[in-house]
Amino acid sequence: MSNMKIAVILGTRPEIIKLAPVIKILESRKADFFVLHTGQHYTRQLDRALFEQLELPLPKYNLEIGSGTHAVVTGRMLIGIEEVLLREKPEIVLVEGDTNSILAGALAAVKIGIEVGHVEAGLRSYDRNMPEEINRILTDHISTYLFAPTSKARDILLGEGIDDANIYVTGNTIVDAVYRNVELARKKVDILKTRDLKTKDYFLVTLHRQENVDNRNRFASILEGLDKVSSTFGLPVFYPVHPRSAKMMTEFQLDHGQVILAEPVDFLSFLQLENNARLILTDSGGVQEEACIMQVPCVTLRDNTERPETVEVGANIVAGSTPGKILESARIMLDRLNNWKNPFGDGHAAERIIEILVEGLR
Ligand code: UD1
Ligand code: UDP
């Protein structure tokens, strides 16, 4: 790998977590690479704490773009990323997922003739109101290397006219991250004790998606559903709140009933919370996958999912946002036998991705 240079561009919590296995391999192979952080996420728990806990090298560049409207952050990112790419001249830019950071990274690169590798290509919710759907589609269609996590994702890409020669089914690097860290979590953290939660005796929640928390009625309705789940099953509901949701909850003056609110927790503690939960209720993409990988039933607090594999294997149900449907979905999933097979790969996705890049760029 000595004479090819790779730029890894990331900007948010899930990208740091899912690209960590890739960065680790690049490091261990002494590859010529650098990490560019857009600064989309900057709160310590969503950013710096992850680099420390996952023992990742600090980014060579941090553009410190911060928060703003979609156009403002994407525009600022494009300008900053282009400057760095022109200076560093990498052969390839690697991005992961579906955030504004990855769209900016891919677009800045492709316009100056640098090839793009998209990790987690081919996911579709078929809901174009989601900013993530726009980011995924555009990034897929300007990438040269499409690392699809499953054969379903590959089929979606083929259906959109993308050349088969550019698609590689690798598995999802989140499996690598979970396998690597779940044991470490057991040894290093003890969040159940700190939070007074008992194994398989609580529900875990995350909720942060724009379409859920920026809409007062919808956010209130989901919180009401979660409160009902807690009272009906007589178990605590623990919700580490994403900063976006915290801001909106205050702005809308929402009542969270008996739902227990907390700050976002570190990744190892969150894995431990997931692993020991009776049930997970979430609108997060990564959390749907992790629940499925760790054999914990999941209720998705959305109207659709770009992770249908989780539903097909019986690990997940799409509940929507009304209290009645959330309660009914929780009941269904609590009765499920959690013996499904993980559809996201064997935990070697990152190695595969690097091998493919080495072959392709040779
Ligand atoms: C972004 C991604 C979303 C992903 C999520 C992961 C886009 C369009 N959305 O959503 O796909 O699931 O990251 O967590 O890229 N904020 C802070 N501190 C931070 C980051 C955000 O306080 O470190 C607050 C700010 O008030 C900000 C709001 O959260 O305005 C939203 O942040 P933003 O980065 O726009 O989107 P996310 O909701 O984090
Ligand atoms: N996560 C975390 N602490 C928390 C909540 C989530 O470390 O308090 C991790 C979780 O394990 C998963 C990732 O954050 O790997 C998911 O990120 P998020 O839900 O923000 O984004 P999405 O996956 O929806 O894009």
Side-chain angles (χ1 to χ4, degrees):
M1 302 186 68
S2 54
N3 54 5
M4 81 164 168
K5 189 173 191 175
I6 300 177
V8 179
I9 300 185
L10 45 72
T12 69
R13 171 169 68 185
E15 293 152 66
I16 301 167
I17 291 170
K18 287 178 169 176
L19 283 172
V22 174
I23 295 171
K24 289 279 186 194
I25 291 179
L26 290 171
E27 249 194 330
S28 71
R29 292 192 180 198
K30 301 196 175 11
D32 186 7
F33 79 101
F34 67 94
V35 176
L36 187 166
H37 193 322
T38 63
Q40 181 176 343
H41 281 180
Y42 46 86
T43 298
R44 193 180 145 69
Q45 300 103 306
L46 273 68
D47 176 26
R48 190 62 182 258
L50 282 170
F51 281 88
E52 290 167 10
Q53 190 167 56
L54 297 170
E55 296 176 357
L56 293 172
L58 283 183
K60 181 168 180 186
Y61 300 94
N62 190 324
L63 302 179
E64 294 180 2
I65 302 293
S67 307
T69 65
H70 287 278
V72 166
V73 297
T74 311
R76 285 188 182 142
M77 284 175 196
L78 276 169
I79 296 167
I81 293 169
E82 187 185 58
E83 270 174 33
V84 173
L85 294 181
L86 287 172
R87 193 175 328 143
E88 291 275 358
K89 298 189 174 43
E91 267 76 41
I92 188 147
V93 159
L94 259 191
V95 293
E96 189 283 333
D98 55 19
T99 66
N100 289 341
S101 292
I102 84 139
L103 175 62
L107 195 52
V110 78
K111 289 284 187 83
I112 53 173
I114 300 171
E115 290 188 329
V116 177
H118 185 199
V119 178
E120 206 177 63
L123 274 62
R124 297 290 180 269
S125 65
Y126 300 106
D127 177 359
R128 292 208 178 189
N129 292 317
M130 294 177 69
E132 293 86 358
E133 183 76 352
I134 306 300
N135 294 340
R136 288 191 276 264
I137 293 172
L138 296 178
T139 304
D140 281 342
H141 284 263
I142 53 176
S143 294
T144 307
Y145 295 87
L146 294 107
F147 300 112
T150 64
S151 55
K152 189 178 266 297
R154 172 176 174 270
D155 290 345
I156 287 173
L157 294 169
L158 289 174
E160 292 181 8
I162 288 175
D163 191 340
D164 199 12
N166 294 345
I167 308 171
Y168 306 87
V169 179
T170 56
N172 194 312
T173 58
I174 193 62
V175 184
D176 311 22
V178 169
Y179 286 179
R180 186 190 293 247
N181 291 299
V182 82
E183 193 50 40
L184 213 57
R186 223 186 309 270
K187 290 186 193 139
K188 283 197 166 175
V189 295
D190 200 358
I191 188 155
L192 266 58
K193 199 165 171 191
T194 333
R195 296 292 177 164
D196 201 20
L197 297 167
K198 293 189 182 58
T199 299
K200 299 295 164 190
D201 228 15
Y202 63 91
F203 299 133
L204 178 65
V205 167
T206 77
L207 190 72
H208 72 282
R209 216 151 277 290
Q210 178 180 300
E211 63 273 21
N212 277 337
V213 303
D214 286 15
N215 175 328
R216 189 184 195 285
N217 287 343
R218 200 170 160 104
F219 198 177
S221 169
I222 295 175
L223 286 174
E224 190 188 327
L226 296 173
D227 183 46
K228 277 204 162 59
V229 166
S230 184
S231 55
T232 306
F233 299 104
L235 291 178
V237 169
F238 186 73
Y239 174 16
V241 188
H242 187 287
R244 172 184 215 115
S245 318
K247 186 179 74 177
M248 299 317 291
M249 213 182 269
T250 308
E251 194 173 313
F252 294 147
Q253 299 187 329
L254 292 178
D255 177 11
H256 57 90
Q258 56 189 42
V259 174
I260 303 164
L261 306 183
E263 294 281 311
V265 304
D266 64 90
F267 182 53
L268 291 186
S269 296
F270 193 75
L271 281 179
Q272 192 167 65
L273 282 169
E274 288 179 297
N275 210 12
N276 289 289
R278 177 78 184 85
L279 178 76
I280 295 173
L281 302 101
T282 188
D283 63 1
S284 157
V287 176
Q288 287 174 65
E289 291 160 351
E290 288 165 350
C292 182
I293 295 161
M294 289 191 266
Q295 308 291 143
V296 180
C298 183
V299 171
T300 290
L301 303 164
R302 288 175 44 189
D303 297 328
N304 50 55
T305 178
E306 58 291 308
R307 273 95 176 163
E309 296 89 345
T310 57
V311 177
E312 280 155 22
V313 299
N316 190 11
I317 189 167
V318 178
S321 60
T322 62
K325 285 294 269 184
I326 293 170
L327 191 59
E328 185 193 328
S329 302
R331 204 185 297 279
I332 292 170
M333 290 313 292
L334 284 169
D335 285 340
R336 282 275 166 90
L337 280 180
N338 46 351
N339 56 357
W340 55 80
K341 194 172 172 301
N342 153 34
F344 294 116
D346 58 3
H348 297 284
E351 281 161 44
R352 262 179 221 116
I353 289 165
I354 299 301
E355 281 306 319
I356 291 158
L357 287 181
V358 172
E359 282 298 311
L361 294 175
R362 195 168 275 160

